[in-house]
Structure formats: structure tokens, C-alpha cells
Amino acid sequence: MSNRGVVYIGPGNVQVRDIRFPDLVLREGPGVPESNVGRKCEHGVILKVIATNICGSDQHMVRGRTTAPEGLVLGHEITGEVIEIGRDVEFLEKGDIVSVPFNVACGRCITCRRQDTHICLNVNPERPGGAYGYVDMGGWVGGQSEYVMVPYADFNLLKFPDKDQALDKILDLAMLADIFPTGYHGAVSAGVGVGSTVYVAGAGPVGLAAAHASQLLGASVVIVGDLKEERLAQARSFGCETINLMEHDDAGEQIEQLLGIPQVDCAIDAVGFEAYQHGTDHEESPAVVLNTMMDVVQAGGRLGIPGLYVTEDPGAVNEAAKVGSLSIRLGLGWAKAHHFVTGQSPTMRYHRDLMHAILSERANIAEVVNATVISLDEAPNGYKDFDKGASKKYVIDPHGMLN
């Protein structure tokens, strides 16, 4: 059978190309560690991809801000239908509609057993943690494609209980692979609870998901900050307060206008290392979000940091930042006894509960992030529009099943 996927060609360039049809073996390819080549996956399944999203994390690679190899098949947000089952799969059947956590996890190691599936010890020989279609994450082939292989399927996959219901809610359920659990993890890590006042840095899809998650967790006020008015308008559309950091670069002053004090209970970083100095959209300042959050979060508060930070950034503004060393005011955070929670979201910790929130219509995540369906062939233009700051979450429809 044939297969096509979105392939990273070089900085600023992705193309839809013919790629290998998946089988239950991790084959040699771009980014696959030598010791992972030939890894047998009889515990895996082959999926026909129903929906696969473009993520802001993908954009970091496409901009050339990582060491991603050319030829890498992109995509770690995957929802699909099981069409082939490995010998060792017991609890899934052909025809099941499933969500794929972006974390590749074995289910056997100590970190998986404590639900830290984002730092599985057995799927990536180079460092803890694996993911599909991502640099330094074990070489697992990405899912912005027509078909994809998923290992350790019984453990990893979230099966939707009713196929027709799933297809009716598919745009919302497509967000369970990454963005919704990631935003939710940011809110949980920040300690959001009933009555909390929350500052969310960034009104991209993850920031919007974090804001909606904060509302679900009972926050009294959610304030979203960004440099782009279009994205802030999207945050206001579902009840958030907003601050425009292009027009007024002091977040604390704007927060004080809303709350009467220049502080919040907690904050969420949904921007990461490609941050811009407040008041400009061209002067990079990779630590500005973290420093701002320490400034505006009250003493003893928590900072959830799902925003991506990398160990290698070839395009960084200085030599220190190229290896992930940023000018963070740690002394301020120490003095205020802040709690910091970093790292990828352990998706499996949250995705089942969030699925039920969607199916019971408690969560409307597709509307919140402005989910916008495009074809596989439209993916390169989707990357370009997203890179310009479009307030949309692009959902790729490889087989024309979503229209």
C-alpha cells in the first residue's frame, strides 16, 4: 500500500512526499538512533490516520531552531482507526477509533509505572522520553501521514467507547493526543483550583487549552497575555481576560487594572524558548516569560511550564541560549518560594478524564482553539499560516473523513 506524509526538508520548508508504508518494525531513517533500528513491535498496531494536528512544537523544528534532520516525517498529534494488529496485542480490534498520546511509552519501566510516561526509559536510547516525528525522541515515525505505526498499543492507545459518537466529536477528540492534556498539565502543575486567579502566557493553541483547562478546574479569573490581538480575541471568545503585551509591556500593571493588585495566584508558560521581548515581535528574549511569571505570581505560588525549552537551539540569540542556558531570575523565584514544574505533559495521566469531559460536553476544546480542517496537501501552507500567528489549530485530514 502507498503512504504519504509531511516531511521536514530544511528550515522553512516542509513538503508532502511519498513515504514508506508502516510495518511493525522501526526501520532505519532520519533521526532513528542506531540501536533503535530494527526494533520489532509486535506489541504495536497500524493506524489509518483520521486526524493529525500541526503543533507549535513542530514549528520550532521547521524554523530550524532544533537539530532535526532533513527527511524527518513530522507529526505527534494523532487520532486514527486500527487497521492492523500485532501478534502481542490483546485488547484492541480492527476498526477501533483511538487517540495516540504523543508520548511513546513502554508501560513497563519505573517512570511509566508512576504515570510519568513523558520520560519513559525504554523507548529512546539517547535520553528519557519518546515521541512521534520529533527530534531526539527515539526516531518514531511521525503521524502527519496517511498511515502510522504505534508501538505498545495496549498500553498507549485510548480507545473511544462508541465509534459513531467519536466521529461526531472527532475535532474535539483530536485534541487529546497532545494539546488539551498539555494545557491541562500546565494548569494542574500551576496549582489551579476553585477561585484561583491565573495568568497564561501565550494565546496560541496550548495557551488557549491551558486557559480552558483552568476554567474547568474552577479558576475565578483567567488572564491571557500575548503580542497578537487576533489571538487575544480568540481567548476573549470563551470568557478570558486579556492583556496585550505589544501595546503595554508591563504585565503586572495590566494585571493590576483587572484584579486591583499586580499579582496572580499562579501562572502557566505556554510560549517556551522562542519568546519575544514584550513590546516587540522581532526581538527575541528567551527568558522573558519565565521572568515575568516570577514577577507576577504571588509568594508561594506555582508556575506550570509546559512551554518547550531545548538543550540545543542553533538559531538562538547568544551562545548561552544555544545550549539552553537562559538569564532567568532564579533569585527572585527563590525569594518568593515559587514552585516550578517543567517538562512534557504525561498525556496518559489526563486523557481519559478529558475524553469524558468532551463526550459529556463539559469541554469544547475544538471551539476554544479554533480547530480548522485542512487536507494533507494543504499542510505546507498550514505551517506557513500558523508561523505567521494565525489564531487557528490546523487539523490535517489525510483521507477526507472530516468534511
Side-chain angles (χ1 to χ4, degrees), residues 37-67:
V37 173
R39 185 170 182 160
K40 292 181 171 57
C41 297
E42 288 294 341
H43 42 63
V45 299
I46 308 298
L47 298 183
K48 177 182 179 180
V49 177
I50 295 174
T52 177
N53 310 336
I54 297 177
C55 180
S57 300
D58 298 322
Q59 290 284 19
H60 295 309
M61 290 187 292
V62 172
R63 293 188 190 114
R65 297 299 295 269
T66 71
T67 55

Side-chain angles (χ1 to χ4, degrees), residues 349-383:
R349 193 180 298 174
Y350 310 114
H351 66 174
R352 188 174 300 276
D353 289 344
L354 293 177
M355 174 188 72
H356 288 301
I358 289 169
L359 295 178
S360 64
E361 299 189 352
R362 291 281 296 156
N364 303 296
I365 187 64
E367 181 179 339
V368 161
V369 300
N370 194 17
T372 303
V373 177
I374 59 175
S375 69
L376 187 64
D377 289 319
E378 292 172 315
N381 283 334
Y383 269 93

Side-chain angles (χ1 to χ4, degrees), residues 19-360:
I19 61 174
R20 179 188 292 120
F21 189 86
D23 56 5
L24 299 175
V25 179
L26 183 54
R27 303 290 182 182
E28 183 177 7
V32 182
E34 185 176 350
S35 55
N36 246 9
V37 173
R39 185 170 182 160
K40 292 181 171 57
C41 297
E42 288 294 341
H43 42 63
V45 299
I46 308 298
L47 298 183
K48 177 182 179 180
V49 177
I50 295 174
T52 177
N53 310 336
I54 297 177
C55 180
S57 300
D58 298 322
Q59 290 284 19
H60 295 309
M61 290 187 292
V62 172
R63 293 188 190 114
R65 297 299 295 269
T66 71
T67 55
E70 295 180 7
L72 185 73
V73 181
L74 299 171
H76 56 269
E77 300 190 37
I78 309 164
T79 306
E81 178 182 0
V82 177
I83 62 169
E84 182 179 334
I85 296 175
R87 178 194 62 208
D88 299 332
V89 175
E90 294 186 64
F91 306 114
L92 293 164
E93 299 177 353
K94 291 181 181 179
D96 286 344
I97 306 295
V98 296
S99 176
V100 184
F102 78 93
N103 320 112
V104 182
C106 72
R108 296 153 169 81
C109 69
I110 184 62
T111 56
C112 284
R113 289 176 183 271
R114 67 184 186 216
Q115 289 194 307
D116 289 333
T117 51
H118 57 310
I119 46 174
C120 174
L121 302 177
N122 289 331
V123 295
N124 182 359
E126 297 183 333
R127 64 174 67 178
Y132 304 90
Y134 211 84
V135 59
D136 296 331
M137 287 292 173
W140 301 94
V141 179
Q144 287 175 12
S145 56
E146 295 173 323
Y147 301 92
V148 69
M149 187 269 283
V150 175
Y152 302 103
D154 278 331
F155 178 69
N156 280 303
L157 294 180
L158 175 65
K159 176 183 172 181
F160 299 139
D162 181 271
K163 188 171 183 177
D164 291 337
Q165 184 187 32
L167 291 174
D168 184 55
K169 291 278 190 180
I170 197 66
L171 284 184
D172 292 284
L173 295 172
M175 305 304 155
L176 292 173
D178 177 2
I179 180 177
F180 200 9
T182 292
Y184 192 83
H185 178 61
V188 170
S189 299
V192 177
V194 174
S196 296
T197 57
V198 186
Y199 172 58
V200 179
V206 170
L208 298 174
H212 189 40
S214 297
Q215 293 172 331
L216 290 174
L217 289 167
S220 60
V221 182
V222 180
I223 303 169
V224 180
D226 200 277
L227 299 167
K228 293 185 179 295
E229 179 56 34
E230 178 187 355
R231 295 178 7 148
L232 292 172
Q234 183 63 27
R236 289 193 294 272
S237 73
F238 59 95
C240 298
E241 301 287 348
T242 62
I243 59 176
N244 189 318
L245 294 166
M246 178 67 80
E247 297 177 357
H248 191 326
D249 63 5
D250 191 316
E253 286 187 7
Q254 293 192 73
I255 289 171
E256 185 171 19
Q257 291 175 11
L258 294 168
L259 300 180
I261 57 173
Q263 292 188 323
V264 290
D265 296 326
C266 52
I268 304 164
D269 174 3
V271 178
F273 73 104
E274 281 195 78
Y276 292 99
Q277 183 63 40
H278 298 166
T280 171
D281 60 0
H282 61 273
E283 182 183 340
E284 284 202 21
S285 181
V288 67
V289 171
L290 297 173
N291 288 330
T292 297
M293 292 201 309
M294 284 186 281
D295 186 49
V296 303
V297 171
Q298 67 177 0
R302 300 174 67 95
L303 284 66
I305 309 173
L308 177 67
Y309 291 87
V310 295
T311 56
E312 294 183 81
D313 175 9
V317 294
N318 55 54
E319 292 302 312
K322 287 182 179 180
V323 292
S325 294
L326 309 181
S327 297
I328 298 170
R329 294 187 65 195
L330 188 58
L332 176 61
W334 189 93
K336 295 176 77 171
H338 283 155
H339 297 249
F340 299 78
V341 180
T342 67
Q344 297 175 11
S345 165
T347 302
M348 292 178 64
R349 193 180 298 174
Y350 310 114
H351 66 174
R352 188 174 300 276
D353 289 344
L354 293 177
M355 174 188 72
H356 288 301
I358 289 169
L359 295 178
S360 64

